[in-house]
Structures are given as C-alpha cells and as structure tokens.
Amino acid sequence: MPTDSRALEIQPDLIIPTGKRKGHNPSVASIYRALADHAKREAYPEAVEQAHADFSLFFIYRPRHRAGMGWTVPDGV
C-alpha cells in the first residue's frame, strides 16, 4: 500500500469515470479502499471465484406466477 504522500501524489491523475462525481478525483480514502479490495482479490482468487459462482446461482431470471416477471431463487437450491 502506498504511503499517504504517495496516495496524494497519484490522486490528481485518477478521475472518476461514471456516477454523480464523474470527472472528479477520488478521495485518498477511496484510493485506499480500492487498493485494499484489489489486494484481497489478489490474495484469495479462489474465494472470489466461489463467491461469483454462489451469487450467480442465487439470482436466476425466470417468471414468477403471481407477481409477473422478476428475480427468483431456483427450486432445489
């Protein structure tokens, strides 16, 4: 992780591409959160894969009988 001075150095070079703060620079705290999240994903890639697989099983699109169309949990899961 960079030191505070390093995060402050790279902050002006980073620009938020979408959302309410589009075109602005992220805060130093946001930079640290992004770096920590990246480090966690790099350290535990198998956990990230499993979480993605579990999440995709949970949300399967199929018609609901009483409420029209929507997200439902598949039978037997």
Side-chain angles (χ1 to χ4, degrees):
M1 275 246 189
T3 62
D4 284 335
S5 62
R6 180 68 180 136
L8 287 172
E9 287 175 20
I10 65 172
Q11 182 187 23
D13 297 332
L14 301 173
I15 297 175
I16 299 171
T18 62
K20 187 167 99 174
R21 293 186 34 84
K22 180 180 180 177
H24 292 95
N25 304 103
S27 67
V28 174
S30 293
I31 295 170
Y32 277 116
R33 279 192 300 272
L35 291 172
D37 186 47
H38 176 73
K40 194 185 309 181
R41 277 188 261 125
E42 291 289 310
Y44 305 103
E46 66 283 345
V48 172
E49 274 185 40
Q50 186 61 47
H52 283 243
D54 292 347
F55 190 75
S56 66
L57 281 177
F58 185 73
F59 287 102
I60 295 178
Y61 190 74
R62 70 175 192 186
R64 290 187 191 170
H65 297 290
R66 286 184 237 153
M69 302 294 282
W71 294 96
T72 60
V73 177
D75 296 330
V77 174

